[in-house]
């Protein structure tokens, strides 16, 4: 469903974030991207939904080359790809409900969204998605007043509003404590298994990778250095991905 | 490195040329020759600048004698010697001293006039009159004051939507994406700075020629100034936002207008309100001043009585203005506190 071919990204400051990356993602997969901070994981995800423009290479989503799309066309593609972020990126001063409804902005007219008049079928759907992430009763609470784990669940619900074919998760648990991390990962797994959404997720902790990933790719200095099943990452591979001196930290 | 050296050299040249011109034209002519005004000629200025450049060029290469090399960071200040052992310390003291002396001379600071018999008598007379305000003109003053407050309010209210919309185009982080928006950004910044560099007092004079003397010209002057100031404050606030929500909105496939409405606006709305209320408060204070040049309101009244030298009436108006300013200040501080 997603093909990345020879993807390279060089930032205007000359930093080469991605070098000639090629891989493929099949429908229903839970693909985890690992690698050191600064290895290009976030850039890779942002090139997929074109928040960043790749310098070279192609991104093929659902059989369509989306690399050169502009304006309305790329917005249509983005509306089919959900995204959750390390720092949640919720809209401050707005309620949980409005934050979740933001996932439907692409299908709401500009005028309606400015006066905050979302369609009632969207509201019903938002309530359902809030229920899926276990936040029923918090609809009217302001998003800034939630805890980290709850915020991340709101952002998952927001992504679900898009009925995404693909969900990009950029280090979704990196600012959460171990217990909350696990629960957020469980929700991502649920979305993957029960709703059949393909997930691409950046992660740091190998214990979580082994538990949740169906396939793993590893980046090092912007290059793809590993592709395979999670249990294939042994001591040897670990050192190759994270450097000679790395020692694995266990969450538990 | 080269760039820094050039800057250092230019700074040294400037300092020495400046010192020589000041020493000659102000200190030598005024103090030693006792002239009330220097005889100015471009020839001497050019010669003195050249002398300054020569002196600077020589001292530039002597260790410790270049203030420019020190202040641009070409040489590191040495911490081994005490400060009184360094030449540039004395040079800096020298520059500051001649500048201060020149300043006092030019602004004609004179203790003799400040404490002269006649001057003190005049001051006493006016202060006594001001301390006994004439309450018979209270109604007139009150109406004029109300005019001032409303004038300021309307100027602020009209300025808000214009400044709100334009501020998004004057924010660097939102206009980076496309050359067209970058051009708008530069154009807006230039207009804004030009507008702000002209004082509202001058705007009031210009506009009173245009629309006639009265509250309308004062209101327009305040509005022009408010739009420019609010754009600056608003856009600076927009530049400090967290890019995260913006990114999240883009990722949902939202239209750029929706991205701004949901990704940017909720982050800035409170500071915007706070600035706006502060602006109204400022406008009330400015409106009284603008009245002095015919912008209507309590300032115009003040000017009329002051020209007639009716100090008791002026006293009352001053009391009323002071009360308004205090009340606005207090109210705006309270409201802004509540908004936090």
């Amino acid at each position: 469903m997603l093909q990345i071919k020879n993807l390279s990204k060089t930032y205007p400051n000359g930093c080469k974030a991605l070098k000639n990356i090629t891989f493929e993602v099949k429908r229903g997969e839970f693909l985890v991207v690992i690698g050191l901070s600064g290895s290009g994981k976030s850039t890779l995800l942002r090139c997929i939904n074109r928040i960043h423009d790749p310098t070279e290479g192609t991104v093929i989503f659902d059989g369509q080359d989306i690399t050169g799309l502009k304006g309305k066309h790329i917005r249509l593609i983005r509306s089919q790809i959900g995204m959750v972020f390390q720092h949640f990126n919720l809209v401050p001063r707005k309620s949980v409900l409005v934050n979740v409804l933001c996932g439907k902005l692409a299908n709401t007219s500009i005028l309606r969204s400015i006066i905050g008049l979302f369609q009632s079928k969207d509201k019903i759907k938002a309530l359902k998605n809030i229920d899926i992430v276990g936040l029923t009763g918090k609809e009217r609470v302001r998003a800034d007043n939630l805890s980290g784990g709850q915020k991340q669940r709101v952002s998952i619900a927001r992504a679900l509003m898009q009925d995404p074919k693909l969900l990009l998760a950029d280090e979704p648990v990196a600012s959460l404590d171990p217990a909350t991390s696990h629960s957020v990962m469980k929700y991502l797994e649920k979305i993957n298994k029960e709703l059949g959404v393909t997930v691409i997720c950046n992660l740091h902790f190998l214990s979580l990778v082994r538990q949740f990933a169906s396939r793993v790719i590893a980046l090092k200095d912007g290059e793809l250095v590993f592709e395979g099943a999670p249990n294939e990452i042994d001591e040897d591979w670990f050192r190759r991905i994270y450097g000679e001196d790395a020692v694995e930290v266990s969450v538990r | 490195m080269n760039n820094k050296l050039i800057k250092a050299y230019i700074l040294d040249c400037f300092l020495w040329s400046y010192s020589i011109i000041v020493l000659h034209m102000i200190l030598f002519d005024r103090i030693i020759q006792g002239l009330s005004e220097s005889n100015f000629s471009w020839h001497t200025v050019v010669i003195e600048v050249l002398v300054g450049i020569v002196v600077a060029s020589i001292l530039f290469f002597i260790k410790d004698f270049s203030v420019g090399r020190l202040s641009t960071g070409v040489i590191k200040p040495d911490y081994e010697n005490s400060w009184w052992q360094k030449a540039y310390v004395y040079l800096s003291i020298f520059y500051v001293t001649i500048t201060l002396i020149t300043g006092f001379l030019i602004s004609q600071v004179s203790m003799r006039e400040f404490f002269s018999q006649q001057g003190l008598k005049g001051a006493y007379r006016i202060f006594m009159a001001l301390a006994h305000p004439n309450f018979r003109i209270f109604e007139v003053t009150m109406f004029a004051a109300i005019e001032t407050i409303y004038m300021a309010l309307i100027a602020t209210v009209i300025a808000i939507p214009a400044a709100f919309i334009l501020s998004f185009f004057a924010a660097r982080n939102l206009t980076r994406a496309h050359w067209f928006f970058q051009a708008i950004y530069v154009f807006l910044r230039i207009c804004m700075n030009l507008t702000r560099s002209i004082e509202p007092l001058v705007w009031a004079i210009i506009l009173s020629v245009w629309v006639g003397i009265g509250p309308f010209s004062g209101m327009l002057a305040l509005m022009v100034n408010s739009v420019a100031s609010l754009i600056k404050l608003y856009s600076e606030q927009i530049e400090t936002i967290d890019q995260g929500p913006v990114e999240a909105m883009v990722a949902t496939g939202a239209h750029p207008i929706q991205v701004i409405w949901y990704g940017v606006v909720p982050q800035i709305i409170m500071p915007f309100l706070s600035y706006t209320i502060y602006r109204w408060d400022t406008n009330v204070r400015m409106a009284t001043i603008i009245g002095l040049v015919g912008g209507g309101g309590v300032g115009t009244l003040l000017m009329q009585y002051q020209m007639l030298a009716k100090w008791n009436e002026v006293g009352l108006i001053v009391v009323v203005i002071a009360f308004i300013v205090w009340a606005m200040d207090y109210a705006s501080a309270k409201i802004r506190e509540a908004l936090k």
Side-chain angles (χ1 to χ4, degrees):
Chain A
M1 87 163 298
L2 180 76
Q3 284 163 291
I4 309 287
K5 284 183 188 163
N6 308 99
L7 192 75
S8 295
K9 168 74 185 175
T10 310
Y11 282 108
N13 62 11
C15 165
K16 283 194 169 72
L18 295 175
K19 297 167 195 161
N20 204 14
I21 306 259
T22 303
F23 67 96
E24 202 171 315
V25 187
K26 293 200 176 60
R27 201 171 295 277
E29 267 192 302
F30 198 114
L31 179 77
V32 169
V33 186
I34 58 172
L36 285 172
S37 305
S39 59
K41 304 190 298 296
S42 297
T43 309
L44 177 63
L45 289 199
R46 283 167 175 72
C47 281
I48 293 173
N49 67 358
R50 290 275 317 284
I51 290 184
H52 291 341
D53 284 322
T55 324
E56 271 170 64
T58 41
V59 180
I60 295 169
F61 175 72
D62 238 5
Q64 188 190 358
D65 182 354
I66 63 165
T67 330
L69 291 185
K70 285 206 169 78
K72 201 163 60 178
H73 305 288
I74 189 61
R75 291 207 296 273
L76 181 69
I77 298 295
R78 279 181 190 145
S79 72
Q80 302 166 27
I81 304 178
M83 189 160 187
V84 294
F85 302 83
Q86 177 182 354
H87 299 292
F88 326 124
N89 293 356
L90 298 181
V91 178
R93 315 191 64 84
K94 296 278 181 192
S95 67
V96 167
L97 183 64
V98 172
N99 261 289
V100 173
L101 281 166
C102 277
K104 266 288 173 203
L105 281 179
N107 303 50
T108 309
S109 73
I110 293 173
L111 194 65
R112 267 176 172 272
S113 55
I114 282 180
I115 50 179
L117 198 70
F118 289 90
Q119 285 169 334
S120 41
K121 68 175 196 311
D122 288 342
K123 281 188 191 159
I124 293 166
K125 192 169 171 190
L127 293 175
K128 199 189 92 200
N129 284 328
I130 291 172
D131 186 47
I132 289 180
V133 296
L135 285 173
T136 306
K138 298 267 186 202
E139 296 90 350
R140 300 282 161 199
V141 178
R142 249 169 62 169
D144 354 14
N145 295 341
L146 297 174
S147 70
Q150 290 172 326
K151 281 183 185 168
Q152 196 58 292
R153 277 141 68 191
V154 174
S155 90
I156 291 173
R158 174 172 70 188
L160 284 182
M161 282 306 281
Q162 297 173 241
D163 292 320
K165 294 177 179 167
L166 174 66
L167 181 68
L168 306 173
D170 184 18
E171 295 182 23
V173 298
S175 14
L176 301 175
D177 64 64
T180 326
S181 294
H182 195 262
S183 106
V184 164
M185 288 307 295
K186 277 279 180 202
Y187 282 111
L188 289 180
E189 187 183 36
K190 184 172 160 189
I191 289 160
N192 176 245
K193 294 250 163 71
E194 291 174 17
L195 306 175
V197 178
T198 313
V199 177
I200 302 180
C201 180
N202 290 348
L203 276 182
H204 271 313
F205 288 114
L206 282 180
S207 57
L208 291 175
V209 176
R210 291 194 188 101
Q211 192 178 351
F212 293 101
S214 67
R215 204 154 62 89
V216 180
I217 61 173
L219 296 183
K220 190 184 182 187
D221 296 328
E223 283 173 80
L224 192 76
V225 292
F226 174 85
E227 187 170 3
N231 52 18
E232 284 173 40
I233 310 172
D234 49 18
E235 280 283 299
D236 202 29
W237 270 112
F238 180 79
R239 287 232 180 76
R240 248 186 269 176
I241 297 164
Y242 286 96
E244 287 304 321
D245 311 325
V247 178
E248 192 183 338
V249 199
S250 178
V251 192
R252 253 166 287 176
Chain B
M1 187 64 199
N2 264 334
N3 203 357
K4 271 186 182 173
L5 267 178
I6 293 166
K7 274 185 198 162
Y9 181 64
I10 291 173
L11 184 62
D12 268 0
C13 289
F14 167 76
L15 283 172
W16 277 109
S17 307
Y18 165 78
S19 308
I20 292 169
I21 291 171
V22 162
L23 280 175
H24 169 226
M25 291 187 56
I26 311 292
L27 304 183
F28 178 71
D29 281 3
R30 291 231 186 153
I31 294 183
I32 298 173
Q33 297 211 309
L35 299 173
S36 62
E37 209 148 294
S38 326
N39 346 321
F40 179 83
S41 89
W42 280 109
H43 288 289
T44 31
V45 171
V46 170
I47 290 167
E48 280 161 2
V49 167
L50 289 176
V51 172
I53 291 174
V54 171
V55 174
S57 310
I58 297 167
L59 292 180
F60 191 67
F61 296 102
I62 303 175
K63 188 178 174 288
D64 268 11
F65 270 86
S66 164
V67 173
R69 282 213 288 180
L70 185 83
S71 50
T72 51
V74 177
I75 50 166
K76 298 268 173 306
D78 73 284
Y79 297 105
E80 285 170 22
N81 296 319
S82 306
W83 64 268
W84 59 83
Q85 290 171 313
K86 295 168 197 164
Y88 53 75
V89 173
Y90 295 103
L91 281 177
S92 310
I93 292 173
F94 167 71
Y95 297 139
V96 172
T97 313
I98 59 168
T99 305
L100 287 181
I101 293 174
T102 309
F104 275 107
L105 273 178
I106 285 182
S107 40
Q108 302 177 353
V109 173
S110 156
M111 285 297 139
R112 195 146 38 98
E113 269 162 44
F114 196 77
F115 289 110
S116 75
Q117 192 74 36
Q118 207 190 345
L120 283 177
K121 224 182 255 172
Y124 176 77
R125 188 160 42 84
I126 287 183
F127 275 121
M128 281 315 283
L130 290 177
H132 295 94
N134 179 358
F135 277 93
R136 255 172 304 172
I137 60 153
F138 183 71
E139 284 90 353
V140 186
T141 314
M142 198 177 63
F143 284 126
I146 289 169
E147 195 175 277
T148 298
I149 294 174
Y150 275 91
M151 210 171 93
L153 174 71
I154 292 304
T156 319
V157 166
I158 297 179
I160 293 169
F164 180 80
I165 292 169
L166 291 176
S167 64
F168 292 101
F169 296 98
R172 177 109 275 200
N173 54 345
L174 299 185
T175 51
R176 243 188 323 239
H178 198 274
W179 64 266
F180 177 69
F181 289 109
Q182 283 175 0
I184 295 182
Y185 167 86
V186 172
F187 176 73
L188 265 178
R189 286 266 148 175
I190 292 172
C191 288
M192 195 175 85
N193 288 331
L194 283 180
T195 316
R196 268 158 32 86
S197 63
I198 301 173
E199 283 291 308
L201 203 66
V202 180
W203 275 114
I205 293 169
I206 296 169
L207 287 160
S208 65
V209 175
W210 190 345
V211 300
I213 283 175
F216 186 46
S217 67
M219 191 279 278
L220 282 179
L222 287 176
M223 191 198 75
V224 169
N225 189 257
S226 297
V227 171
S229 303
L230 282 178
I231 289 179
K232 188 176 162 62
L233 291 172
Y234 285 176
S235 60
E236 271 167 12
Q237 195 60 42
I238 294 173
E239 283 169 3
T240 64
I241 60 160
D242 169 17
Q243 281 292 324
V246 177
E247 201 176 32
M249 292 303 110
V250 172
T252 64
H255 188 272
I257 294 175
Q258 295 171 320
V259 171
I260 290 193
W261 193 255
Y262 281 92
V264 181
V265 174
Q267 295 194 57
I268 51 174
I269 198 74
M270 282 301 154
F272 269 33
L273 280 176
S274 158
Y275 285 141
T276 310
I277 288 161
Y278 179 64
R279 191 65 218 173
W280 181 31
D281 169 23
T282 317
N283 276 350
V284 171
R285 268 180 282 147
M286 277 192 191
T288 58
I289 303 293
I290 278 174
L292 294 177
V293 293
V298 76
T300 304
L301 202 66
L302 179 71
M303 178 192 63
Q304 286 162 0
Y305 280 110
Q306 175 260 323
M307 278 165 122
L308 297 171
K310 291 189 168 178
W311 298 111
N312 299 81
E313 282 76 4
V314 170
L316 179 83
I317 297 169
V318 169
V319 168
V320 170
I321 291 175
F323 175 76
I324 297 169
V325 170
W326 170 80
M328 287 299 301
D329 209 40
Y330 181 78
S332 99
K334 280 284 163 206
I335 296 172
R336 279 180 288 136
E337 212 168 280
L339 282 178
K340 267 179 195 159

